[in-house]
Amino acid sequence: MSVLPQGTPLGNLELEEVFLDYDGPKLFSARSATGQRYVAVAVDEDDGGRPIFLYLPVSAERYLAIRSGLLSLREALLEPEGSVFVYGHAMSIDGIALTLLEAREIPDDWLPDEDAFLNVPTATQAHFEPAELSHRADGEVRSLLALRLDRPDLMRTEYPLRDLKDLLEDVQEAVHADSG
Amino acid sequence: MVATLPDNCPPTDARPVDQRFLRFVSGTLSVGDVPDKLDWVLPHENAKSTYYGRIEDCSCHAHSLFSNPADIDVARKFVPMFRKKRVAALTITQSMGVVAHTPARIGRSHHSWWPAPADLVPTASVIA
């Protein structure tokens, strides 16, 4: 049994990933049966003390950006990908209240802080398989070199181009020296 | 009525403790107040909770707590609902049930407390 809204315009939702569960999920991602992903956050309580959630529809790319900390939760809410923004109750005892909301209509006290970055380690690039490199090198009849770079402060499996410049020059020099 | 715990609940890593914790409580309280039983309703019994009625889920028989005050700020930074809550401090002792460290992605000091008896209302005090 899902704890999230069912039978609403959001779709039938299932929890995907919970970032904070405090007497129930308060910041989480969810997916509908049709694959639409949402990031949801508890922003207030109604007069009955029940939590009110913002549900932000996100693409796969936007979700990775939020999860990895490239984009703050606040920025994501203020710059939604679509024109429709939805909030509602994640419960159905008295019926589900669901309202469309434009980003500009979100009350300021419903927004996370500016420095609310999730910073969860996230694979933002396709996983590298060494066997594929070997296969490609055989097919192209040339040597290929793979470098593994781990920078602890990066939550994404991408590397800033500026930071790569010196490193790649050093590698090129080493290869030349070795082949010479 | 106190519900029967599901099988294998609490989990084996839950232990009796003597430790101070913090909990979000009603925003209508003031510093120095003692939260009453309304702030200690287990999620599966709480009609306001997303987990209401989930008696088969062990985590719904536990209260959420933080051990690190910094995580109160972290939770408020990400989840605006918590900004309107007060924070109460309490000490869980060995006779009050068992506690497991159940870290969240945000809020690494999150703990789950399975009170004994289940309807136990601990002595807590609002500190902020």
Side-chain angles (χ1 to χ4, degrees):
Chain A
M1 181 181 72
S2 176
V3 299
L4 301 181
Q6 305 292 301
T8 78
L10 294 172
N12 293 332
L13 299 183
E14 295 289 340
L15 272 178
E16 182 181 52
E17 184 170 13
V18 180
F19 301 106
L20 177 59
D21 189 317
Y22 188 98
D23 288 351
K26 297 296 185 289
L27 175 57
F28 56 93
S29 66
R31 293 190 84 149
S32 71
T34 57
Q36 174 64 56
R37 182 184 275 126
Y38 298 88
V39 173
V41 59
V43 293
D44 204 346
E45 290 180 332
D46 65 17
D47 292 341
R50 297 171 302 184
I52 297 171
F53 290 86
L54 290 179
Y55 280 83
L56 174 67
V58 291
S59 65
E61 294 77 14
R62 178 61 66 95
Y63 182 62
L64 294 181
I66 297 169
R67 190 179 188 277
S68 66
L70 184 68
L71 195 64
S72 74
L73 201 52
R74 183 186 181 97
E75 289 175 285
L77 288 165
L78 289 175
E79 300 287 342
E81 294 167 284
S83 59
V84 178
F85 197 84
V86 185
Y87 77 92
H89 301 299
M91 56 190 303
S92 58
I93 292 171
D94 297 320
I96 294 168
L98 195 62
T99 307
L100 304 183
L101 198 64
E102 297 293 336
R104 66 177 182 280
E105 298 174 317
I106 301 173
D108 194 59
D109 63 356
W110 280 13
L111 291 169
D113 287 358
E114 291 179 2
D115 60 345
F117 293 90
L118 283 175
N119 287 332
V120 176
T122 302
T124 53
Q125 290 292 306
H127 182 69
F128 173 70
E129 290 291 345
E132 290 180 13
L133 186 73
S134 175
H135 182 72
R136 181 178 161 191
D138 289 344
E140 297 177 4
V141 197
R142 62 174 180 158
S143 298
L144 294 174
L145 176 68
L147 301 174
R148 175 175 170 159
L149 307 173
D150 288 318
R151 215 177 80 174
D153 60 322
L154 286 182
M155 296 296 123
R156 299 165 63 84
T157 53
E158 298 166 40
Y159 212 93
L161 193 58
R162 183 187 303 274
D163 298 349
L164 279 179
K165 175 175 168 291
D166 292 343
L167 176 68
L168 292 178
E169 283 181 356
D170 291 345
V171 170
Q172 190 68 55
E173 290 299 323
V175 170
H176 276 310
D178 188 54
S179 61
Chain B
M1 186 183 76
V2 176
T4 303
L5 290 170
D7 291 343
N8 304 312
C9 182
T12 54
D13 61 340
R15 297 270 190 274
V17 299
D18 290 292
Q19 190 174 348
R20 184 175 186 267
F21 292 100
L22 301 171
R23 176 169 169 82
F24 287 115
V25 294
S26 171
T28 61
L29 297 174
S30 300
V31 172
D33 285 351
V34 176
D36 66 15
K37 61 182 181 182
L38 294 177
D39 279 304
W40 298 102
V41 181
L42 291 168
H44 78 87
E45 295 179 315
N46 188 350
K48 302 171 185 175
S49 169
T50 308
Y51 285 158
Y52 178 63
R54 290 176 64 87
I55 59 172
E56 76 288 358
D57 185 338
C58 184
S59 68
C60 302
H61 293 257
H63 295 297
S64 283
L65 307 169
F66 285 122
S67 60
N68 184 350
D71 282 338
I72 293 291
D73 295 333
V74 171
R76 285 176 164 164
K77 179 166 77 173
F78 282 90
V79 179
M81 188 190 86
F82 288 134
R83 295 179 194 146
K84 297 180 180 177
K85 296 283 192 180
R86 292 289 193 171
V87 179
L90 71 155
T91 298
I92 305 288
T93 60
Q94 300 203 15
S95 64
M96 296 167 66
V98 293
V99 173
H101 185 207
T102 48
R105 287 280 195 190
I106 59 169
R108 304 299 296 172
S109 76
H110 181 273
H111 286 69
S112 298
W113 170 40
W114 286 266
D119 56 358
L120 176 64
V121 177
T123 301
S125 179
V126 176
I127 60 168

